[in-house]
Amino acid sequence: MADGKEKRELNRFVGRALLACWPLLLLVAAYWIIDPFNVIGPFDPTSTMRDKTEPYNRCHQAVEAYVNHRDSVPFNAFLLGSSRTIYYSIDSWKNYLPADAECFHFDAAWETLDGMLDKIEYVHNHGDRIKYAILEFHADQFNDVEHDEVVYRQDYRLRHADNFFAYHYKHFMSALNMKFIKVYAAYMITGKMVDNKEVRVFESPMLSYDPVRNEIDYRNFDHELDADSMAYFRKYAELYQKTEADSVVPPMSARAVDTLRRIKQRFDADSTDYQVILGPTYYRRVNCASDIRLLREIFGSDRVHVFQHYAIDRQSNFYDNIHYRYAVADSLMSLVYGE
């Protein structure tokens, strides 16, 4: 008799708990179905593009593209770094590589040193070999940390990232931000993408996206610059502003040095033919001499190429304060491989 009463009490408790939780369960289901940040499975950023594209996590897309296509394409050449590596065209890079090179963009927005190491280890742990690589660094990358904004977070499958549940919990909570909901809901209802300066919602437009090699084509910005550079500078004036102009980055931490040495060890294990490029920024921020010496000690002086003052004489060589143009990246590769 007591057992039956206890069972009824338990059933009532479970029923009430489910009744109390159903709004949360509906929200979780909506997050999973709508996938507002496009972090559940693969996503082609051009599929819903109008003047802009939906928000997405570039690190997640890179991992998805690699996992989904590595069985059909024997990737062995990797472009590693921040979003600056987007402008290193695979077609241009292949001019300097042997015929067997199968190239892949394995970058992330606001990439960290841990993120670069994790991607190298991820390739290695899948039984693939990195035969050729470019590591592209911006000056602040040696002391940078992962940004809190979800579209910049490392994918949960990488070693230093959040686990699956923490990763999606952070995206879920960001989706509940009322400023985000207001803009994203309007987009879902009207189909119009409207910027909101208080919260990041939509991404820049692009010409095309190769989902196999994870290559974005942003040459639409070249078209704007070439057509009327002054109009472009006025339109994107705030993107060229930076308070740390003409400054030197503090020396890198011991942890950063250790991470760089581990990257070198992985390359040694694969007998990787790699090049390290320190590219320019429009605001002329550079690394200190001791860090340059350290990089040359770790990777070899013949493989470390410092271009932090390259092309900074013309604003039209940059899309904004940190991203240099395809033509500049082409020039850097010709200097690196032509030396």
Side-chain angles (χ1 to χ4, degrees), residues 297-308:
E297 173 196 320
I298 294 169
F299 293 105
S301 58
D302 59 328
R303 295 184 180 274
V304 176
H305 311 275
V306 183
F307 297 116
Q308 293 185 322

Side-chain angles (χ1 to χ4, degrees), residues 60-200:
H60 171 80
Q61 292 306 111
V63 174
E64 281 289 311
Y66 170 69
V67 169
N68 291 335
H69 300 288
R70 58 173 292 273
D71 289 334
S72 57
V73 181
F75 298 123
N76 60 10
F78 293 84
L79 285 155
L80 296 151
S82 69
S83 55
R84 286 150 54 104
T85 62
I86 290 172
Y87 309 101
Y88 284 73
S89 162
I90 285 177
D91 285 343
S92 295
W93 190 27
K94 291 192 75 169
N95 290 328
Y96 307 104
L97 299 178
D100 69 332
E102 292 289 352
C103 304
F104 185 83
H105 279 271
F106 216 170
D107 58 280
W110 289 108
E111 181 65 289
T112 63
L113 294 184
D114 281 343
M116 295 173 79
L117 173 62
D118 287 353
K119 291 174 180 66
I120 292 166
E121 291 183 337
Y122 196 74
V123 173
H124 184 85
N125 292 339
H126 276 73
D128 295 333
R129 177 189 170 197
I130 301 179
K131 293 184 69 174
Y132 318 101
I134 285 180
L135 296 176
E136 200 282 345
F137 294 112
H138 61 77
D140 288 293
Q141 203 159 354
F142 303 106
N143 289 297
D144 207 358
V145 295
E146 187 173 53
H147 289 246
D148 288 335
E149 208 164 341
V150 291
V151 292
Y152 297 140
R153 300 197 72 80
Q154 295 291 321
D155 185 81
Y156 63 87
R157 287 162 285 194
L158 302 179
R159 187 165 65 90
H160 287 95
D162 294 321
N163 62 39
F164 175 87
F165 295 102
Y167 179 79
H168 282 293
Y169 172 77
K170 288 173 181 176
H171 282 82
F172 173 69
M173 294 306 294
S174 292
L176 295 183
N177 180 305
M178 287 307 299
K179 293 175 182 176
F180 177 85
I181 290 174
K182 181 179 178 181
V183 177
Y184 196 80
Y187 158 69
M188 292 187 67
I189 295 169
T190 67
K192 295 181 180 179
M193 297 181 173
V194 180
D195 279 318
N196 185 321
K197 293 183 178 180
E198 297 182 66
V199 59
R200 185 184 182 89

